[in-house]
């Protein structure tokens, strides 16, 4: 057990800039975000709330431990992120991001473009992030044998490269920071785990990727929701040893969608 962590190896609270943001969001609000500071899926929903300046109350949950009845009533899957809003509940990170866009139309910036074709493009590439990039990242982290690690890293490079080629710049769709960027950036922030343990480098994907990744991680809403690197590293320890027992790790081992 790491000093300062609870018995599930997860540091109990957000740190760094994220801790300040959590502090600013303790007052009761109509919208309650059930969050884990460490979770990349939570990060998507949290960034969207910060981008839009939607009032919310942040509640820290360790979903591996605190499967309390109230939390399970909100999300029967027992996963973060989840929200409570005016007596109703909702979960699944990408669904939440779209919900914030739909339910708070006066809160800008919009994360979906107005043009129908561009909107469809955003959904198409968000799907690429969810079904190709995120699983390839996790498989590379969890792989134990060098050959297997190499294979998954190659696949990770391939699916990143495909996306990078379509980046219009400065963000995926151009000037507008959209759901594609939000869906992806939590794994950009965490890619040091692959760099330090699996031989990944942004340069190997290409200059365009490197610049885009830098721009994403420098976005204010991303910086404001970021915890200290050492605590992310601690969280990924169990994945790097292939010891994680959460729903995501089990889904990856079983080849199921996450
Ligand atoms: N598909 C879900 C994934 C959420 C998820 O896997 N959250 C993890 C934390 S990063 C969790 O709550 N795990 C608890 C468990 O596996 O029991 C989403 O996009 O929101």
């Amino acid at each position: 057990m790491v000093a300062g962590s609870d018995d599930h190896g997860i540091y109990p609270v957000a740190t760094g800039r994220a801790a300040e943001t959590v502090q600013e969001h303790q007052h009761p609000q109509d919208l309650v975000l059930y969050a884990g500071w460490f979770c990349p899926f939570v990060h998507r929903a949290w960034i969207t709330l910060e981008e839009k300046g939607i009032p919310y109350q942040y509640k820290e949950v360790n979903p591996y431990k605190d499967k309390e009845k109230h939390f399970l009533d909100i999300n029967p899957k027992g996963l973060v992120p989840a929200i409570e809003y005016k007596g109703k509940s909702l979960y699944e990170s990408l669904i939440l991001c779209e919900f914030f866009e739909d339910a708070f139309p006066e809160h800008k910036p919009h994360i979906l473009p107005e043009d129908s074709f561009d909107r469809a493009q955003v959904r198409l590439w968000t799907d690429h992030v969810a079904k190709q990039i995120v699983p390839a990242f996790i498989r590379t982290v969890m792989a134990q044998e060098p050959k297997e690690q190499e294979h998954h890293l190659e696949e990770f490079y391939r699916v990143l490269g495909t996306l990078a080629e379509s980046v219009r710049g400065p963000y995926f769709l151009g000037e507008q920071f959209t759901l594609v960027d939000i869906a992806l950036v939590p794994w950009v922030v965490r890619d040091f785990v692959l760099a330090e343990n699996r031989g990944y480098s942004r340069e190997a994907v290409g200059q365009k990727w490197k610049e885009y990744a830098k721009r994403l991680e420098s976005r204010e809403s991303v910086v404001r929701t970021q915890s200290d690197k050492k605590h992310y590293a601690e969280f990924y320890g169990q994945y790097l040893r292939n010891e994680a027992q959460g729903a995501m790790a089990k889904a990856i081992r079983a080849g199921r969608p996450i």
Side-chain angles (χ1 to χ4, degrees):
M1 196 173 106
V2 184
S5 300
D6 63 22
D7 57 345
H8 286 244
I10 297 177
Y11 197 75
V13 288
T15 51
R17 285 294 299 277
E20 291 171 31
T21 305
V22 167
Q23 267 317 309
E24 289 162 17
H25 291 274
Q26 290 303 301
H27 295 297
Q29 296 288 352
D30 284 346
L31 176 65
V32 181
L33 175 68
Y34 289 81
W37 64 266
F38 56 88
C39 175
F41 302 98
V42 164
H43 211 168
R44 289 170 166 169
W46 200 6
I47 288 167
T48 307
L49 290 171
E50 283 292 316
E51 276 290 325
K52 291 177 167 292
I54 295 170
Y56 67 94
Q57 182 181 9
Y58 181 102
K59 282 201 180 162
E60 187 71 41
V61 173
N62 179 337
Y64 301 99
K65 195 174 68 149
D66 302 334
K67 304 245 192 227
E68 292 168 357
K69 185 177 177 313
H70 184 65
F71 179 53
L72 287 174
D73 285 345
I74 293 165
N75 183 356
K77 291 183 177 177
L79 306 176
V80 287
I83 62 159
E84 235 176 339
Y85 182 56
K86 297 185 175 173
K88 292 182 180 165
S89 60
L90 215 52
Y91 47 89
E92 278 298 321
S93 57
L94 294 173
I95 305 285
L96 292 178
C97 296
E98 289 216 28
F99 174 74
F100 299 148
E101 175 84 349
D102 289 344
F104 300 89
E106 72 286 5
H107 284 260
K108 294 191 176 116
H110 289 302
I111 59 165
L112 290 174
E114 264 180 42
D115 177 79
S116 303
F117 188 79
D118 281 347
R119 258 174 124 86
Q121 285 292 318
V122 165
R123 294 200 168 107
L124 199 62
W125 285 99
T126 299
D127 194 59
H128 177 80
V129 173
K131 296 202 183 122
Q132 308 291 333
I133 295 181
V134 174
F137 178 101
I138 302 166
R139 283 190 205 110
T140 311
V141 173
M142 287 172 62
Q144 299 298 295
E145 298 303 321
K147 275 240 161 316
E148 206 192 338
Q149 292 174 355
E150 215 175 288
H151 165 76
H152 290 305
L153 182 59
E154 280 309 312
E155 183 60 12
F156 186 54
Y157 281 146
R158 191 181 69 76
V159 294
L160 287 182
T162 307
L163 182 131
E165 276 169 28
S166 297
V167 171
R168 293 184 195 166
Y171 297 109
F172 182 80
L173 204 72
E175 292 300 328
Q176 190 177 3
F177 184 71
T178 68
L179 185 59
V180 182
D181 307 301
I182 293 170
L184 177 63
V185 66
W187 285 271
V188 170
V189 166
R190 290 158 178 78
D191 71 359
F192 73 90
V193 173
L194 289 178
E196 290 175 3
N197 298 279
R198 297 290 186 259
Y200 162 86
S201 76
R202 290 182 186 176
E203 288 78 11
V205 186
Q207 188 61 21
K208 198 171 171 192
W209 170 252
K210 199 176 153 188
E211 284 168 18
Y212 172 57
K214 185 93 220 137
R215 212 166 294 122
L216 288 185
E217 69 186 359
S218 311
R219 181 94 183 174
E220 182 59 17
S221 59
V222 177
V223 174
R224 285 174 55 78
T225 48
Q226 216 165 306
S227 279
D228 293 341
K229 211 172 137 176
K230 71 170 181 182
H231 294 304
Y232 289 126
E234 206 173 283
F235 171 71
Y236 276 101
Q238 55 184 331
Y239 288 89
L240 287 163
R241 296 187 298 274
N242 197 12
E243 289 170 358
Q245 291 304 328
M248 185 175 66
K250 285 183 179 158
I252 286 290
R253 283 188 205 107
R256 286 195 313 265
I258 50 174

